[in-house]
Amino acid sequence: MRRATLVVALGVLVLTSAAGAQQEQMQMAHDHGAMEMDANGELSWRMPPMDPNMPMMPGLMGALPAVGPILPGFGLDPMDYPEARPREVMDLVDGQEITLTASVVRRMIAGRQYLVFAYNQQYPGPLLRAPTGATVVVNFENEIDQATTVHWHGLRLDNRFDGVPGVTQAPVLPGESFRYEVLFADTGVYWYHPHMREDIQQDLGLYGNLLAVPTQPDYYAEVNREEFLILDDMLIDDAGIVPYGDAAPTHTLMGRFGNVMLTNGATDYRLDVDRGEVVRFYVTNVANARTFNVTFGGAPIKVVASDLSKYEHEVWVDSVPIAPAERYVIEVRFDESGTVPIENTIQAIDHFRGEFYPHVDHLGNVSVADSMTDRDLADGFATLRSNLDVAADVDSYRAHFDRAPDHEIELTLEIGDLPLPIIQSMEFEKGLYVPPVEWNDTMPMMNWLSTGEEVRWILRDRASGRENMDIRWEFKKGDIVKLRVFNNPETLHPMHHPIHVHGQRYLVTSVDGVPNSNLVWKDTAIVPVASTVDMLIEMTNPGEWMVHCHIAEHLHSGMMLSFSVE
Amino acid sequence: MKVALRLAGLALAATCAAPALASPVPFLCAAPAALPALEPGTPYYDIELVPTGRVPGTRRAAGLARVNSTGSPFGVAVTSSGRYSVDLAVSFRGLVPRARDFAVWVATADLSEIHYIGVLDEAGNLKAEASWNKFLVIVTLEANGAEPGESWDGPIVFRGMSRSGRMHTMAGHGPFQAEACAKYGY
């Protein structure tokens, strides 16, 4: 079961570049003094980094996950690999053909070099920008040492190109290629990533944005510039990237939270603007598990759009909570010179002490120059637009909002043979309090030790009792399906789940029975603990499709189902 | 719920229909069974308002503050500091009307911040908001039509605490580490 095909030390190169705040975070981690290889030179487990204020649970010292460790790139000399470069933009037209290659690259993260994955040797992968309605042919080549596919997240494209191994295509083995026809069906921002072992491949850098450019010039308000923010985190300690599970993921209870925050793949993201500029940010969360609460130094944020459409009405907010795989289109005006921090501001939880504590992760800076922009868009920015086109689109579905659901699923889990202290801890906590959203890894050791061998996350069809891939709903093209999702809090380890529906679009019509008064078309939406979320799915796209949690470790411990549209 | 499974462990190696892409997981396969239909809304975060017994005739009344996430474009409502924003719907059954008002307050657990919400209507209902990590809902009996001060003047009739208050486990501080619980804000 333990795979150790690459047996030489990774050889993390400690370079002298500015490390910044991220390095401080890494230094905060416990230094367990462990090496990443054992006496035989093979990759070995070491305890994950933890907040030094968080105590070790008695009885877990020395415990190891039930699966073996794997770390792509382990044993390879980083200097033998090309250095990754920042993302480039590919402006594409209908029918254009491009090549997208997944490969191993050398990349600097927080002052140290690592071997990771990249598309076209870029971090993030290239931004693919095409007019709405265009189809682009992507010749994908797999040059990593794992089977993979590419999933075009959120795009309502032909089912054959959805990138789900065993459902829509065979895995693309190392050295093989696959031809995708990517339809930029709906105006909006999307992303692409593997649909195999996302906990490893996506975490190591296989992700990039797609933008379906509006065909109407005034689809969005006028802004001074557009910027793409891809938010991520990685789990790194003094010895390097913490290994992953080989036969199954580790961290399956909560998902793998990182301790190094990345914006567009870097720890030192910076944007330079003139004073008064209005910036439209396309924000994507590609983290395995972390939900961010993004702030811009207290500046008001205008929420414009999400996954597949604009909102019915633009609104002001102070922060943007964004779960894995979600996207939000927001606008911010920088009206004072200086540095505006982009931060993840949360109330973290220490379950051991039973306390909340404020926590801030630095995600980047916007440097605002003294000089005023020569195109002041303050008036337009101050105006909240109502999108009558969206409201009109939604109107034809309103008759379905209040009817009984067609299907109900319950989100739950089963826990097998975990170490007794973990079970005891969860039994003790059961019935006390679980927050609607887990913003931080509240139990790093327990989480690390829980693998896909012991934890099975479940989507349970309440009508049939069937679970996960045993559920096979059948629909006809044109069906409007009301799905009620209940996140059961009465389990040993409840947690929120970002639920992704492939190939279709849906509306979140209500949460806990409270109607949603500002609708937007989604493909991924968060279902907080104990919540009942009603989704109205428009079945327009024929084929075999998936519904799953987009926390990578939950997905790979079973939390997915399929449905067909004929 | 599934504690029994841990006892079974690997001995129960029957493979439920394994996810196509994940490793087979050794779990007991229960026969599928239908579950009752769901009603939207959940009592999980509800706050029971418990009588203090200080006011005669209130012990038999049942009070509840239903907690729902405040409307948000994101599906979950939090402040810029990450605190949850919730709507509270306070309601009572069996509360006998009085000459004085039942006033509702929300407060932090250490009473360092207290917000007056209003008085219960004739049906015993009131809507409120809160955005603290842990908070109290307090119902007091106040002079009819009195202008509320910084805190209540009358007796506390009912009180309840947000479910997050149950997280105060005492395992990590207090008796074991001789740390004042108040240090952690309860």
Side-chain angles (χ1 to χ4, degrees):
Chain A
M1 187 174 289
R2 287 168 195 270
R3 205 163 78 188
T5 53
L6 302 168
V7 293
V8 187
L10 173 61
V12 171
L13 301 179
V14 179
L15 300 184
T16 55
S17 65
Q22 296 293 343
Q23 197 143 34
E24 289 176 26
Q25 280 192 19
M26 294 168 64
Q27 287 166 354
M28 279 178 60
H30 284 315
D31 177 9
H32 300 294
M35 303 295 289
E36 67 175 357
M37 59 181 168
D38 63 17
N40 298 318
E42 295 190 356
L43 185 67
S44 61
W45 283 123
R46 56 185 187 274
M47 287 166 54
M50 289 170 54
D51 186 323
N53 294 315
M54 203 169 281
M56 171 69 64
M57 180 180 291
L60 291 185
M61 186 69 76
L64 297 175
V67 297
I70 183 175
L71 184 63
F74 178 73
L76 305 178
D77 183 350
M79 300 313 290
D80 289 341
Y81 290 83
E83 183 167 13
R85 61 187 190 277
R87 169 183 57 203
E88 296 169 3
V89 179
M90 299 179 82
D91 277 311
L92 307 168
V93 296
D94 186 36
Q96 191 167 343
E97 209 161 322
I98 63 168
T99 298
L100 189 73
T101 304
S103 66
V104 178
V105 295
R106 174 166 45 96
R107 200 169 114 201
M108 181 88 76
I109 299 172
R112 298 198 290 180
Q113 291 215 41
Y114 302 93
L115 282 181
V116 294
F117 294 150
Y119 287 122
N120 288 7
Q121 301 182 5
Q122 296 171 35
Y123 64 91
L127 166 61
L128 309 183
R129 195 158 59 187
T132 300
T135 296
V136 173
V137 175
V138 178
N139 293 304
F140 172 67
E141 296 176 353
N142 181 11
E143 293 183 2
I144 65 172
D145 63 354
Q146 301 183 358
T148 189
T149 61
V150 185
H151 170 56
W152 312 91
H153 188 113
L155 290 181
R156 295 194 289 172
L157 41 55
D158 190 296
N159 186 239
R160 293 171 296 159
F161 306 116
D162 195 41
V164 179
V167 177
T168 67
Q169 68 168 97
V172 184
L173 300 177
E176 291 187 345
S177 60
F178 192 88
R179 181 180 182 277
Y180 292 97
E181 295 177 15
V182 181
L183 171 64
F184 289 66
D186 303 280
T187 297
V189 63
Y190 304 88
W191 65 299
Y192 55 96
H193 61 81
H195 218 287
M196 297 187 71
R197 287 308 297 266
E198 291 95 316
D199 62 306
I200 301 174
Q201 298 179 11
Q202 184 182 300
D203 198 46
L204 286 175
L206 291 184
Y207 52 77
N209 269 137
L210 306 123
L211 184 71
V213 179
T215 52
Q216 307 156 256
D218 62 347
Y219 182 84
Y220 295 122
E222 190 179 5
V223 293
N224 296 96
R225 72 176 73 207
E226 293 184 329
E227 185 72 4
F228 292 79
L229 298 181
I230 294 188
L231 307 179
D232 193 12
D233 59 3
M234 289 184 74
L235 188 58
I236 298 175
D237 66 8
D238 292 342
I241 298 169
V242 173
Y244 303 87
D246 56 5
T250 56
H251 297 89
T252 50
L253 281 177
M254 298 189 66
R256 180 173 165 129
F257 282 76
N259 59 342
V260 175
M261 302 298 135
L262 300 174
T263 300
N264 294 345
T267 56
D268 57 355
Y269 172 81
R270 175 181 154 147
L271 174 67
D272 293 314
V273 302
D274 284 334
R275 186 165 55 86
E277 276 197 36
V278 176
V279 181
R280 178 157 48 245
F281 292 98
Y282 296 90
V283 188
T284 306
N285 181 354
V286 305
N288 286 20
R290 184 181 298 277
T291 297
F292 294 85
N293 185 39
V294 183
T295 57
F296 288 80
I301 301 165
K302 183 193 290 185
V303 184
V304 174
S306 186
D307 301 347
L308 282 102
S309 78
K310 295 178 290 189
Y311 283 86
E312 289 183 280
H313 313 287
E314 296 177 346
V315 292
W316 296 112
V317 296
D318 297 323
S319 64
V320 179
I322 179 169
E326 285 190 301
R327 287 90 62 209
Y328 288 107
V329 183
I330 59 173
E331 293 169 6
V332 181
R333 182 170 187 266
F334 298 96
D335 53 5
E336 291 184 15
S337 59
T339 299
V340 176
I342 306 174
E343 294 174 319
N344 175 39
T345 56
I346 61 167
Q347 299 292 310
I349 286 181
D350 180 341
H351 275 298
F352 188 73
R353 290 195 160 91
E355 69 182 56
F356 292 88
Y357 60 96
H359 177 84
V360 177
D361 297 303
H362 189 77
L363 304 177
N365 285 324
V366 179
S367 181
V368 186
D370 289 333
S371 56
M372 183 69 185
T373 177
D374 55 8
R375 197 162 55 104
D376 187 358
L377 303 173
D379 290 344
F381 180 70
T383 305
L384 293 176
R385 307 200 316 178
S386 287
N387 297 307
L388 300 179
D389 53 338
V390 179
D393 182 20
V394 168
D395 277 347
S396 55
Y397 302 92
R398 292 191 199 278
H400 298 273
F401 286 10
D402 294 328
R403 68 173 167 84
D406 300 293
H407 292 282
E408 296 179 325
I409 55 173
E410 177 182 340
L411 313 183
T412 183
L413 87 164
E414 289 180 348
I415 292 176
D417 199 19
L418 280 172
L420 190 58
I422 297 179
I423 298 291
Q424 289 174 327
S425 172
M426 289 190 292
E427 286 174 338
F428 179 76
E429 294 281 339
K430 187 174 184 293
L432 294 177
Y433 170 73
V434 176
V437 175
E438 299 275 14
W439 302 92
N440 67 316
D441 188 346
T442 56
M443 43 182 214
M445 187 72 178
M446 289 171 53
N447 190 22
W448 175 59
L449 290 171
S450 66
T451 77
E453 300 282 318
E454 305 96 3
V455 176
R456 188 166 76 102
W457 283 99
I458 297 169
L459 303 169
R460 178 177 294 146
D461 181 356
R462 289 180 64 92
S464 68
R466 290 180 177 274
E467 297 174 350
N468 295 342
M469 291 301 282
D470 279 351
I471 302 170
R472 292 191 174 276
W473 294 328
E474 293 178 353
F475 304 113
K476 295 267 188 283
K477 184 178 177 181
D479 283 352
I480 308 298
V481 176
K482 185 169 182 180
L483 175 63
R484 178 162 291 170
V485 184
F486 170 57
N487 191 349
N488 189 347
E490 304 296 343
T491 71
L492 273 186
H493 181 74
M495 188 168 167
H496 68 275
H497 300 281
I499 297 297
H500 174 42
V501 178
H502 283 221
Q504 322 292 336
R505 62 177 188 168
Y506 68 82
L507 299 166
V508 174
T509 58
S510 74
V511 177
D512 291 331
V514 178
N516 185 352
S517 60
N518 190 13
L519 294 156
V520 63
W521 288 102
K522 300 281 289 177
D523 58 65
T524 308
I526 192 167
V527 180
V529 169
S531 277
T532 304
V533 174
D534 283 354
M535 301 172 174
L536 200 66
I537 310 173
E538 182 197 42
M539 300 294 179
T540 57
N541 203 2
E544 189 81 13
W545 304 98
M546 309 292 293
V547 175
H548 64 83
C549 173
H550 218 286
I551 292 175
E553 292 76 12
H554 291 184
L555 166 62
H556 285 286
S557 53
M559 203 166 200
M560 55 184 160
L561 62 82
S562 73
F563 64 93
S564 64
V565 180
E566 291 183 358
Chain B
M1 182 181 83
K2 300 295 179 187
V3 176
L5 285 174
R6 72 182 164 84
L7 302 174
L10 292 174
L12 296 174
T15 50
C16 303
L21 311 175
S23 305
V25 182
F27 289 104
L28 179 63
C29 298
L35 296 167
L38 291 166
E39 290 299 321
T42 171
Y44 184 75
Y45 295 110
D46 281 359
I47 301 170
E48 184 185 5
L49 299 174
V50 180
T52 59
R54 291 184 63 191
V55 177
T58 56
R59 279 186 187 277
R60 291 188 178 181
L64 190 75
R66 169 137 289 189
V67 179
N68 274 322
S69 182
T70 305
S72 158
F74 308 111
V76 60
V78 292
T79 67
S80 58
S81 66
R83 291 176 175 172
Y84 296 103
S85 295
V86 297
D87 291 334
L88 302 173
V90 178
S91 61
F92 278 90
R93 284 185 293 108
L95 191 61
V96 179
R98 306 213 160 236
R100 290 194 285 170
D101 289 333
F102 287 107
V104 180
W105 314 73
V106 291
T108 55
D110 60 358
L111 302 182
S112 60
E113 292 182 69
I114 299 172
H115 291 175
Y116 170 74
I117 301 302
V119 298
L120 295 176
D121 64 18
E122 289 183 0
N125 300 320
L126 185 68
K127 304 249 185 229
E129 294 179 359
S131 57
W132 288 307
N133 292 329
K134 299 176 182 179
F135 61 92
L136 307 173
V137 179
I138 298 157
V139 181
T140 62
L141 201 57
E142 304 291 333
N144 202 345
E147 193 68 23
E150 291 185 357
S151 183
W152 50 87
D153 293 322
I156 296 177
V157 192
F158 300 91
R159 77 285 200 219
M161 189 171 196
S162 61
R163 184 157 188 144
S164 50
R166 296 191 195 178
M167 199 169 54
H168 186 73
T169 63
M170 301 291 287
H173 54 100
F176 294 166
Q177 296 188 345
E179 294 172 325
C181 299
K183 177 179 175 184
Y184 298 103
Y186 295 93

